[in-house]
Amino acid sequence: MNVQAWTYLIVTATFALYIGIAWWSRVRTTSGFYVAGRGVPAVANGMATGADWMSAASFISMAGLISFMGIVFFYAVLGGMRGITYTQVAQYCVLIVAFLIPAAAISWKITGNPIPQFGFGGTVQKGQQAGVFLLEALDALHRELRLPEYTAAFVPGKKSMIDVTAIALALMVGTAGLPHVLVRFYTVRSARAARWSALWALVFIGLLYTTAPAV
């Protein structure tokens, strides 16, 4: 099959998965519709929270376009919060797999280490810069292109440390306070499970955002 056929197949299979989850998790009670009957496991809730956070921080435009296509409405009505939760678990799996596969492949090709977070601090394995630390090679490339060095976190005259810190704080506090993130802590059985949900969410979010700089 060609690339277009594979694209249609994968997209169709993804939405079929979402609809299947919605049908499997359909609810008939008010508590099931609004808070998933308080029966969501902490790990699944953390994964769904991570998907919520990632959608708000990185994929919101894509999610908005998809929602206009009558598919989100379908599984929200059918399964309520329970359907949305498990659909977002599937969404997280799709996002993270699609993100990690090319990241691992690139890291393996350049540094010989398939773990991007470790490969980022490794050395180039092939080419004219073999044996050079990857970050040093990136800095040299940026200098050649007359750009600020890759490892220069704060560029004079553009963004100060205070500006970057304020932006990071606004991002974290703003997305953590989103209603569709906060409501997740009502879908578990206890306060302890809610705390574990937050911990798992940080793990799943960190998996993506520690890979992003490497990419």
Side-chain angles (χ1 to χ4, degrees), residues 27-178:
V27 294
R28 295 180 177 84
T29 63
T30 302
S31 65
F33 188 85
Y34 287 108
V35 291
R38 299 185 186 276
V40 177
V43 175
N45 200 43
M47 199 175 292
T49 304
D52 274 333
W53 198 95
M54 286 157 48
S55 295
S58 302
F59 300 101
I60 197 70
S61 297
M62 185 187 305
L65 289 174
I66 291 173
S67 68
F68 278 115
M69 296 168 63
I71 201 78
V72 175
F73 175 80
F74 176 80
Y75 64 68
V77 170
L78 190 64
M81 179 57 74
R82 189 164 182 256
I84 290 172
T85 297
Y86 287 105
T87 301
Q88 286 182 315
V89 169
Q91 177 188 347
Y92 177 85
C93 293
V94 171
L95 289 175
I96 202 66
V97 168
F99 195 81
L100 289 180
I101 287 177
I106 293 169
S107 180
W108 172 262
K109 184 175 180 61
I110 295 176
T111 68
N113 192 324
I115 303 176
Q117 290 85 345
F118 295 147
F120 197 43
T123 57
V124 179
Q125 297 296 307
K126 298 178 181 178
Q128 296 179 345
Q129 294 183 316
V132 177
F133 280 105
L134 179 59
L135 291 175
E136 292 180 1
L138 288 172
D139 281 343
L141 177 62
H142 277 226
R143 286 193 296 269
E144 185 179 337
L145 296 173
R146 297 184 180 180
L147 297 172
E149 290 187 346
Y150 182 81
T151 56
F154 313 110
V155 181
K158 290 188 176 182
K159 289 292 181 186
S160 66
M161 183 170 64
I162 294 177
D163 288 340
V164 173
T165 302
I167 292 170
L169 181 63
L171 175 65
M172 296 301 296
V173 175
T175 53
L178 288 169

